[in-house]
Amino acid sequence: FADISVATSNAALGGSNKETIESIKFNAPKTFETQNRAVTTDDYKKIVEAEVSGLDSVTVWGGQDHSTPQFGKVFISAKPTGATALSTGQQSLIKDAVGTYNMVAITPTVVDPDIIDLIFSTTVKYDSRLTSLSSGAIAEKVIDTIQSYKTNSLLKFGSIFRYSTLSTQVDKTDSSIINNLTTLTVKKGILPSITTADSYTIYFNNKIYNASTTYEGAVSSTAFSYTGADGTVYTTCFLDDLNGVMRIYYLSGGEKVLVIAEAGTVDYDTGTIVLTSFLPNSYIGSILDFTIQPAENDLIPVRNQLFEIANTNITITMQDDSGTGTVSTSTSATGATSSVTIGTATGSTTTY
């Protein structure tokens, strides 16, 4: 057997640690309630939770409650442990689990979580005389606080983002912190076709800030290449909005020049963006991102939405209120903090 080698084609899945007594006490009544059939959305949820391991959270809704009603369907979404999307194997396990109990007239559909990225720009005022830590070390602690909030408060479906709760936790990160001011924006991406003009709907499901009918840029996008109606190729275009209408433009000398005056619509009250006949030539990165400023700082998820916070979407500005000094700035592409201090340490402002 010296010439025989073994390669793993598919990683093992579906395993989990032994169920705890507390978990048994919680799940046993729910399992009994299903009575070996899947009729209500709660039935489907309990079956998946009981028979499919390796899932942090499960949510189920009827087709009549979908973003576009689809009668005769039930939608199942689950967040796997340590990931934000289900593997093909996990989707099969969920379908198999409910298949035994499913009613003939209902079609179960398994979908991934709908991820919405939260972007934070946080200014932390602190007194350097009250700590032996550097501003960078305090910034690292603040990032850890934000990530702990995500882990403890946002990993389950239905988890509401509470701005004041996070702000309070940031203030308590270190005894030297006086207060903080956090600006929140929200990002979501799509995968547009570069071969076929198509329509796309982006659901934020939270109100979008729009100060007036003349307010521009409540919605913004990352860059993409686009061909205008006259055949001209514009290599760096963007999407924004004005009074409920989505537009495609490029910048010339800092001024916006419209390529398409009406590329879709935005409903500020429902947080819904619709693009019509959209056909970019290419776009930067793996997805085309759309960013909004929410009208309210508390965000409520709908159906299978989950709020995600990545280190790369956190910018910390440390402002030393102990005196006067200079400003120094450093960037962190990977989310790790680093800094270069110029001038005096006291009174300085450093961005991470």
Side-chain angles (χ1 to χ4, degrees):
F1 299 99
D3 296 330
I4 297 176
S5 61
V6 178
T8 302
S9 58
N10 293 294
L13 55 86
S16 65
N17 295 327
K18 183 176 68 174
E19 191 172 14
T20 64
I21 293 176
E22 290 75 14
S23 177
I24 293 171
K25 288 179 178 179
F26 178 79
N27 287 319
K30 296 178 178 294
T31 302
F32 176 76
E33 288 173 8
T34 64
Q35 294 293 304
N36 291 322
R37 82 283 188 266
V39 177
T40 69
T41 54
D42 278 344
D43 291 339
Y44 283 94
K45 184 174 184 289
K46 291 163 187 172
I47 289 168
V48 173
E49 289 175 335
E51 299 198 12
V52 182
S53 58
L55 303 177
D56 284 338
S57 185
V58 178
T59 187
V60 181
W61 65 98
Q64 73 278 3
D65 297 322
H66 198 55
S67 53
T68 302
Q70 299 183 34
F71 299 100
K73 285 188 175 183
V74 60
F75 289 88
I76 305 168
S77 187
K79 183 199 174 298
T81 303
T84 56
L86 293 163
S87 68
T88 302
Q90 288 171 321
Q91 291 186 15
S92 297
L93 287 174
I94 293 173
K95 290 178 182 178
D96 291 343
V98 300
T100 305
Y101 308 96
N102 186 59
M103 296 175 64
V104 176
I106 302 297
T107 302
T109 302
V110 180
V111 296
D112 283 322
D114 182 11
I115 302 299
I116 295 180
D117 291 300
L118 306 186
I119 304 171
F120 298 101
S121 179
T122 300
T123 297
V124 177
K125 291 185 178 182
Y126 76 109
D127 189 335
S128 60
R129 297 169 298 185
L130 301 179
T131 181
S132 60
L133 297 175
S134 67
S135 63
I138 298 173
E140 288 180 354
K141 291 181 67 177
V142 170
I143 291 174
D144 288 342
T145 294
I146 294 173
Q147 290 298 345
S148 294
Y149 172 81
K150 180 189 79 170
T151 300
N152 296 328
S153 303
L154 296 181
L155 292 185
K156 302 289 186 182
F157 291 112
S159 298
I160 298 173
F161 171 75
R162 300 290 188 187
Y163 177 91
S164 61
T165 301
L166 176 60
S167 181
T168 300
Q169 291 181 11
V170 169
D171 284 347
K172 294 179 178 179
T173 296
D174 189 85
S175 59
S176 66
I177 293 178
I178 301 168
N179 58 33
N180 79 91
L181 176 62
T182 296
T183 300
L184 170 67
T185 53
V186 182
K187 181 176 69 175
K188 192 172 181 181
I190 62 172
L191 294 168
S193 170
I194 57 174
T195 59
T196 305
D198 210 341
S199 296
Y200 301 90
T201 303
I202 303 103
Y203 297 100
F204 284 97
N205 290 319
N206 284 270
K207 289 184 178 181
I208 299 173
Y209 174 78
N210 184 49
S212 68
T213 57
T214 60
Y215 183 75
E216 295 185 34
V219 178
S220 61
S221 79
T222 48
F224 57 93
S225 172
Y226 194 83
T227 301
D230 61 355
T232 302
V233 176
Y234 302 94
T235 57
T236 308
C237 289
F238 304 90
L239 280 152
D240 79 344
D241 69 293
L242 175 63
N243 196 25
V245 178
M246 295 297 297
R247 315 177 302 177
I248 298 175
Y249 71 93
Y250 67 92
L251 293 173
S252 177
E255 297 292 327
K256 292 181 180 180
V257 180
L258 293 184
V259 177
I260 301 293
E262 296 184 7
T265 61
V266 52
D267 187 323
Y268 303 109
D269 289 332
T270 64
T272 303
I273 302 166
V274 178
L275 302 180
T276 55
S277 299
F278 182 58
L279 177 58
N281 301 321
S282 62
Y283 45 92
I284 297 174
S286 58
I287 59 176
L288 183 66
D289 282 324
F290 291 81
T291 301
I292 66 162
Q293 180 181 348
E296 300 176 1
N297 282 329
D298 286 357
L299 302 176
I300 301 174
V302 176
R303 290 181 295 273
N304 59 327
Q305 287 182 327
L306 282 174
F307 298 127
E308 173 63 31
I309 306 173
N311 277 3
T312 50
N313 288 330
I314 303 173
T315 300
I316 305 294
T317 298
M318 299 297 299
Q319 182 175 321
D320 187 353
D321 269 14
S322 64
T324 60
T326 60
V327 174
S328 61
T329 302
S330 65
T331 58
S332 177
T334 62
T337 56
S338 60
S339 67
V340 177
T341 302
I342 302 172
T344 60
T346 58
S348 64
T349 300
T350 305
T351 301
Y352 299 89

